[in-house]
Amino acid sequence: MGVDGPRDRCESERRDVPAGGPPPRAWAWQRNSERRRPERPATPRTVEGQAPSLQPWLPVPRNTAHQPCQEYSPSIMSQNGYLEDVAESDSPGGCGLLHTSRKYLKLKNFELEIRAHRDLDGFLARASIILNETATSLDDVLRAMLCRLAHDPNNTEPDCNVDLFMAMLFTDAGAPTEGKAHLLSDTIQGVTATVTGVQYQQSWICIICTSKALLKRHVCISRLVRPQNWGENSCEVRFVILVLAPPKMKSTKTATEVGRTFATMFLDITFRQKLLNTRTEEEFKEALVHQRQLLTMVSQYPTLGPKGYNMNSICVHRSPQPLKHKDFLPVGKGIREDIARRFPVYPLDFTDGIIGKNKAVGKYITTTLFLYFACLLPTIAFGSLNDENTNGAIDVQKTIAGQSIGGLLYALFSGQPLVVLLTTAPLALYIQVICGICDDYNLDFNTFYAWTGLWNSFFLVLYAIFNLSLIMQLFKRSTEEIIALFISITFMLDAVKGMVKRGSWASAPRAQMAEAWWPVSTVFQKYYYDNFGDNTDSTSLVSLLGLGTSLNTTLHTALNTSLLASPPELTSMGRHAEHPGRETAVLSLLIMLGTLWLSYTLYQFKKSPYLHPCMREILSDCALPISVLTFSLICSYGFREIKMSQFRYNPSKSLFDVAEMHSLSLGAIASAMGLGFLLSLLFFIEQNLVAALANAPENRLVKGTAYHWDLLLIAIINSGLSLFGLPWIHAAYPHSPLHVRALALVEERVENGHIYETIVNVKETRLTSLGASILVGFSLLLLPFPLQWIPKPVLYGLFLYIALTSIDGNQLFERVALLLKDQTSYPPTHYIRRVPQRKIHYFTGLQVLQLLLLCAFGMSTLPYMKMIFPLIMIAMIPIRYNLLPRIIEAKYLDAMDAEH
């Protein structure tokens, strides 16, 4: 038997390990045993390993038997690596049970994971190394190591009980005295997968233990004078690594993580041979440092598989190639590629989930209902706002008609049908500005609106055919999440502001609406502070623009300016004496919060243990429709005597009036071109950004993207809407990601004690958006009733629900929450492993500053400030590429922008 055992020498020959270099990859196998009464010892059977070929991973076992090879229970090693213990007992009283569990551990990536270096630095600072241990039994070796730790002058442990730790290392602590199974509880070993099974590296073993008596982590390494036979899979042990740690530690600082660091280093036979030749502790430490450098270099050059695939266990984030001028020159190249990518799977968009094994008809129905309510209610709100802004030129009917027509066309012909189109707050802002210009210069609104829309479509066509959507790859994940979180925040603020905020300006008559701020009295201002709804002398004002931004704001404005009390002939139906007063304000608050509570509770109901899983999933998918209908009925029938506001409805004389394009002068057409250019920037960023969020890698969409084609289709759709005086539409957040999640199969998984959700697959279909658009179109038949029975607080609750569910999975929000969490509660995410904690908090703070910058422009009361809002979003690109790398290292920025 050689210094490192015949098995390891044979492994080295088979692997062709270069001198001075570590093996490229291996597995870590962790084995865990729980105490049970043992069975009687039997004759041993030692598996002699043949020279195995190393696989792309390394297994490390966690619990190995501490019994000599002459005395252990017979075992059978299957090819999948699971050990099945079989034993017999002479007497029933000596029988017991032993539970053994194993799992693979990924190798520590010394180039990406910062804890790999810090674990070793911590060990070197107060190294506990025993170079020539003469003890032959495992108990004596471990006791010597524990005594070394206990008598270490740098040891700060107040209570270091060697006997207590010895008992915790083995499975027989607290077991009956007769027939104890003296086995290690938690170990890590190197293994190699072969066609005949799993072969263990016999020359080293890593033992880990957690104890509440410890205050900090400790590592001790012992080198034995001669190889020792300590049982199956530990027949030639020369190195013992002991890791002790408290149980409550950060996910990257646990005993298992520290053990993974040293186990990765000891996998290399060349490194172990070098350690055998060291004579002093300093030489031992130098060998450890040299091995760390080698592992770091290997991590920087990942080995490729036979087909060029990266075989490393850690996914390396790579920045996209820099854009060049030639990327934009092939006119229409992006559109052609999008069509070639999506057209072959076009029939599957209609048949997936309907025909075949994995049918999802129920999922499609519930998602269609969710999408219908999520699109219809904001459409009504913005239609009411447009009705007020344009003196009825664009009203609720036209808004619903435009939403239905545009949604149908996009669902049928788009390349990314899971993206949802809506008219949004920034579009309502542009419509208001156009109406003001028309009033100032005596221009025909419909004509000027049509020219602005046509110019917008013209620029979008240019963006599509010259492949400008490639620019969106410059938007990093962090930038996208800043904008997404900004949208969610503004949704929440809209609802809260619409309920409670008081203004300060005097009201203006309706005839002066285009020239002065319109009085917007909130629910509490109108019914609580003014007691009985007398708002004539009110000094409140909420800007007509409200919180309008390019991301679905001004929702409270849309409701407060136009969700007015219905005429007596409409509201008298089914209602008795109405007494508007403070009870209206209180009931409105309760209805809003109740809608939010019921919808979010049902949304989370799939995680509860109640009812059948299918029923839980249906209730979760229908959370929004159920909550809206429930509280609309409660408000309409349960509290008839309390007055509640309803949206104002003015029937349109004609839905499809074509604008007279020849009635404008050349100067007016030129000014419309300027507005159309700014509008096209908004469309370009919104459409591509929302599509990118919907196609995020974690959503696991497989049918491909079509950014260029979809941008061209948006231009065509909005050209028709402009000519007929219907409101514009583009991709909406958070409706699009929520649509994807509604069609997803989501699983809960546990990693290091942390529960997280992951998407397994998504049903990529056109049927849900197609069905929702058809239902929105049929909603024209429901005007004014029963749609007018939906009160304003229910819509506010809807906005809160959409905002709350859209935050789920936002990495920026999760990192802000880390500031309030204890380190032991940090999830084991990729950025926690790869980035120092201080750098994470620095990056989060810089993102919050960018978020505040967006709020400063997006929530400004100046309309023209909001019109340049797309330029502010574009300005975030140089901030990310030029400013942030001066503060935080680029490798850390890339790690936090990576997906995994």
Side-chain angles (χ1 to χ4, degrees):
M1 189 178 300
V3 292
D4 203 32
R7 178 188 305 278
D8 285 340
R9 286 201 302 271
C10 190
E11 289 173 351
S12 177
E13 295 172 2
R14 288 292 299 269
R15 293 190 204 133
D16 298 328
V17 178
R25 292 165 303 281
W27 275 103
W29 180 290
Q30 189 170 8
R31 181 177 177 182
N32 200 344
S33 296
E34 294 184 2
R35 309 176 190 95
R36 297 293 185 272
R37 295 183 62 184
E39 302 187 3
R40 122 181 117 75
T43 306
R45 182 174 63 87
T46 304
V47 179
E48 292 295 337
Q50 300 176 354
S53 60
L54 190 65
Q55 298 299 318
W57 299 89
L58 172 118
V60 177
R62 209 173 158 179
N63 301 346
T64 49
H66 165 58
Q67 291 178 345
C69 281
Q70 290 77 13
E71 297 181 2
Y72 73 97
S73 299
S75 304
I76 300 174
M77 177 68 71
S78 63
Q79 290 188 7
N80 60 8
Y82 288 95
L83 187 65
E84 203 175 322
D85 293 327
V86 183
E88 297 179 355
S89 177
D90 292 337
S91 62
C95 295
L97 300 175
L98 179 68
H99 173 252
T100 302
S101 63
R102 294 180 177 89
K103 67 177 181 180
Y104 281 107
L105 297 179
K106 292 182 180 180
L107 294 183
K108 204 84 165 192
N109 189 305
F110 277 72
E111 196 268 331
L112 294 178
E113 297 188 62
I114 58 172
R115 292 307 317 177
H117 294 266
R118 296 189 175 186
D119 290 341
L120 183 58
D121 290 338
F123 171 74
L124 296 176
R126 53 181 188 278
S128 295
I129 302 174
I130 302 176
L131 290 182
N132 297 299
E133 177 59 55
T134 58
T136 58
S137 68
L138 178 58
D139 292 64
D140 293 339
V141 171
L142 292 177
R143 185 173 294 276
M145 298 174 74
L146 290 172
C147 290
R148 178 66 176 267
L149 292 173
H151 295 92
D152 188 353
N154 297 323
N155 182 20
T156 58
E157 300 294 344
D159 183 18
C160 190
N161 190 326
V162 175
D163 294 332
L164 174 63
F165 289 136
M166 282 293 297
M168 297 182 66
L169 292 175
F170 294 93
T171 60
D172 55 354
T177 56
E178 67 276 7
K180 289 185 179 180
H182 198 59
L183 305 174
L184 288 171
S185 296
D186 212 350
T187 65
I188 300 177
Q189 280 187 268
V191 300
T192 302
T194 67
V195 293
T196 59
V198 175
Q199 305 297 332
Y200 285 77
Q201 291 186 355
Q202 306 271 345
S203 63
W204 65 275
I205 184 172
C206 179
I207 305 169
I208 60 179
C209 176
T210 58
S211 173
K212 295 181 179 179
L214 295 173
L215 299 179
K216 58 196 311 184
R217 299 173 298 162
H218 302 276
V219 179
C220 182
I221 301 177
S222 178
R223 186 184 68 186
L224 308 184
V225 174
R226 288 178 296 275
Q228 299 298 326
N229 180 2
W230 288 339
E232 183 188 23
N233 304 324
S234 302
C235 296
E236 305 162 358
V237 179
R238 291 298 306 271
F239 296 96
V240 179
I241 309 163
L242 178 61
V243 180
L244 306 177
K248 295 291 290 183
M249 295 293 292
K250 187 178 177 180
S251 59
T252 56
K253 298 181 181 180
T254 61
T256 301
E257 288 296 315
V258 178
R260 191 164 70 97
T261 299
F262 287 92
T264 302
M265 299 180 71
F266 274 80
L267 280 174
D268 181 20
I269 182 176
T270 305
F271 169 65
R272 297 196 299 272
Q273 292 283 5
K274 185 182 298 183
L275 291 181
L276 289 174
N277 297 327
T278 58
R279 299 181 179 180
T280 64
E281 290 190 10
E282 292 301 323
E283 292 180 2
F284 200 95
K285 293 179 181 179
E286 291 177 0
L288 290 172
V289 174
H290 181 66
Q291 179 69 3
R292 175 175 63 180
Q293 295 174 352
L294 292 178
L295 288 173
T296 303
M297 294 173 59
V298 170
S299 300
Q300 291 176 349
Y301 301 96
T303 304
L304 298 180
K307 294 185 178 181
Y309 297 114
N310 187 347
M311 304 299 292
N312 266 359
S313 60
I314 304 296
C315 177
V316 181
H317 175 75
R318 300 183 183 274
S319 300
Q321 294 295 329
L323 294 175
K324 300 179 181 179
H325 295 291
K326 63 179 181 180
D327 295 331
F328 305 100
L329 292 181
V331 177
K333 177 183 177 181
I335 298 175
R336 292 192 298 270
E337 290 178 349
D338 290 343
I339 295 176
R341 183 186 307 116
R342 288 292 302 180
F343 185 75
V345 296
Y346 184 80
L348 299 179
D349 294 339
F350 295 93
T351 60
D352 283 351
I354 302 296
I355 301 175
K357 296 182 180 179
N358 300 322
K359 295 184 179 180
V361 178
K363 172 72 75 173
Y364 287 179
I365 294 175
T366 56
T367 302
T368 301
L369 292 176
F370 157 76
L371 202 59
Y372 167 64
F373 281 89
C375 293
L376 177 64
L377 300 184
T379 298
I380 293 175
F382 287 113
S384 302
L385 177 61
N386 290 331
D387 190 6
E388 290 290 336
N389 290 343
T390 62
N391 295 320
I394 299 178
D395 56 10
V396 175
Q397 278 186 304
K398 286 192 173 184
T399 305
I400 293 178
Q403 174 66 39
S404 178
I405 295 173
L408 279 172
L409 294 176
Y410 192 83
L412 287 173
F413 302 111
S414 68
Q416 301 173 104
L418 297 187
V419 174
V420 179
L421 302 188
L422 275 178
T423 184
T424 58
L427 298 181
L429 165 67
Y430 272 87
I431 292 174
Q432 182 227 350
V433 171
I434 291 174
C435 185
I437 293 175
C438 292
D439 290 340
D440 291 338
Y441 296 96
N442 295 321
L443 301 175
D444 180 67
F445 170 77
N446 289 331
T447 305
F448 192 75
Y449 175 83
W451 272 110
T452 304
L454 291 178
W455 280 117
N456 166 57
S457 298
F458 170 75
F459 288 114
L460 290 179
V461 171
L462 292 181
Y463 301 156
I465 64 176
F466 284 102
N467 312 312
L468 291 186
S469 292
L470 294 174
I471 296 177
M472 295 304 297
Q473 72 179 357
L474 299 178
F475 278 83
K476 294 287 190 176
R477 172 174 179 165
S478 56
T479 305
E480 295 174 353
E481 292 188 336
I482 291 172
I483 299 174
L485 185 59
F486 170 74
I487 303 171
S488 301
I489 291 175
T490 51
F491 263 95
M492 293 182 182
L493 292 180
D494 281 335
V496 174
K497 187 176 179 180
M499 289 293 295
V500 301
K501 186 169 182 177
R502 302 186 64 181
S504 59
W505 289 5
S507 61
R510 184 178 294 240
Q512 300 175 357
M513 181 175 57
E515 300 177 0
W517 296 107
W518 179 252
V520 181
S521 59
T522 61
V523 172
F524 267 69
Q525 168 63 17
K526 182 176 182 179
Y527 295 113
Y528 191 85
Y529 296 111
D530 295 338
N531 197 4
F532 288 103
D534 185 8
N535 200 38
T536 306
D537 297 327
S538 171
T539 60
S540 73
L541 172 73
V542 177
S543 168
L544 179 61
L545 305 176
L547 299 178
T549 66
S550 65
L551 302 167
N552 285 4
T553 57
T554 71
L555 297 178
H556 76 279
T557 303
L559 298 171
N560 286 323
T561 56
S562 54
L563 288 169
L564 306 176
S566 298
E569 62 273 11
L570 296 180
T571 58
S572 60
M573 297 175 58
R575 290 183 180 265
H576 302 291
E578 294 179 340
H579 303 287
R582 291 191 172 184
E583 63 274 11
T584 300
V586 175
L587 179 61
S588 298
L589 179 62
L590 294 177
I591 292 295
M592 180 188 72
L593 297 179
T595 303
L596 172 63
W597 168 81
L598 180 59
S599 56
Y600 196 74
T601 300
L602 292 177
Y603 175 72
Q604 298 289 338
F605 195 74
K606 57 187 174 183
K607 301 179 182 179
S608 69
Y610 305 106
L611 302 181
H612 191 273
C614 295
M615 185 59 65
R616 293 201 300 263
E617 185 176 2
I618 292 175
L619 290 176
S620 178
D621 293 339
C622 296
L624 183 59
I626 291 174
S627 60
V628 170
L629 293 176
T630 299
F631 280 91
S632 295
L633 292 175
I634 290 175
C635 192
S636 298
Y637 291 98
F639 299 91
R640 296 186 180 185
E641 67 282 0
I642 299 178
K643 178 182 178 181
M644 299 295 290
S645 295
Q646 301 170 336
F647 69 86
R648 179 172 173 268
Y649 171 70
N650 292 319
S652 299
K653 296 180 180 179
S654 177
L655 284 178
F656 305 103
D657 287 333
V658 181
E660 299 178 0
M661 305 301 295
H662 60 276
S663 61
L664 288 186
S665 63
L666 293 179
I669 295 175
S671 62
M673 181 179 67
L675 288 174
F677 175 72
L678 291 176
L679 185 62
S680 68
L681 293 180
L682 174 65
F683 269 78
F684 175 77
I685 295 177
E686 288 274 352
Q687 180 66 32
N688 286 287
L689 185 62
V690 173
L693 292 172
N695 284 279
E698 57 266 24
N699 290 337
R700 303 180 185 275
L701 303 184
V702 297
K703 293 184 178 179
T705 60
Y707 295 102
H708 311 281
W709 166 251
D710 284 354
L711 194 63
L712 177 63
L713 181 62
I714 288 294
I716 297 173
I717 291 174
N718 282 279
S719 297
L721 297 179
S722 301
L723 290 174
F724 290 99
L726 303 178
W728 303 306
I729 56 176
H730 60 59
Y733 182 88
H735 300 74
S736 299
L738 291 179
H739 183 206
V740 174
R741 193 169 184 84
L743 290 170
L745 174 61
V746 181
E747 288 185 355
E748 284 191 348
R749 296 179 181 176
V750 180
E751 182 178 357
N752 294 341
H754 295 269
I755 301 175
Y756 67 97
E757 291 185 343
T758 181
I759 293 179
V760 179
N761 60 71
V762 177
K763 294 293 184 182
E764 300 179 51
T765 180
R766 300 177 184 270
L767 299 179
T768 52
S769 54
L770 194 64
S773 299
I774 294 174
L775 292 178
V776 169
F778 278 116
S779 297
L780 289 172
L781 304 177
L782 304 180
L783 290 174
F785 290 103
L787 289 182
Q788 273 198 328
W789 289 347
I790 302 176
K792 172 168 53 177
V794 171
L795 301 182
Y796 285 140
L798 163 71
F799 302 147
L800 288 176
Y801 167 77
I802 291 177
L804 190 60
T805 53
S806 66
I807 290 177
D808 188 21
N810 188 290
Q811 190 184 108
L812 172 57
F813 181 79
E814 293 174 353
R815 282 189 276 106
V816 171
L818 291 182
L819 298 172
L820 306 176
K821 291 183 178 181
D822 182 70
Q823 287 192 12
T824 58
S825 301
Y826 282 12
T829 57
H830 66 280
Y831 55 86
I832 294 293
R833 294 182 181 275
R834 303 181 191 180
V835 184
Q837 180 177 325
R838 184 175 299 178
K839 301 292 185 180
I840 293 176
H841 295 328
Y842 284 167
F843 184 68
T844 303
L846 293 172
Q847 282 188 292
V848 172
L849 291 178
Q850 296 178 71
L851 181 62
L852 295 177
L853 177 65
L854 287 181
C855 293
F857 283 88
M859 299 180 183
S860 173
T861 57
L862 302 176
Y864 294 100
M865 185 75 74
K866 297 178 182 181
M867 293 182 66
I868 65 172
F869 185 79
L871 300 178
I872 305 303
M873 290 192 287
I874 295 176
M876 297 179 69
I877 296 178
I879 292 177
R880 168 60 180 83
Y881 283 90
N882 299 325
L883 179 59
L884 294 187
R886 298 177 182 270
I887 304 174
I888 302 175
E889 291 89 334
K891 64 178 182 179
Y892 294 144
L893 293 176
D894 292 338
M896 285 182 284
D897 278 329
E899 303 298 337
H900 302 289

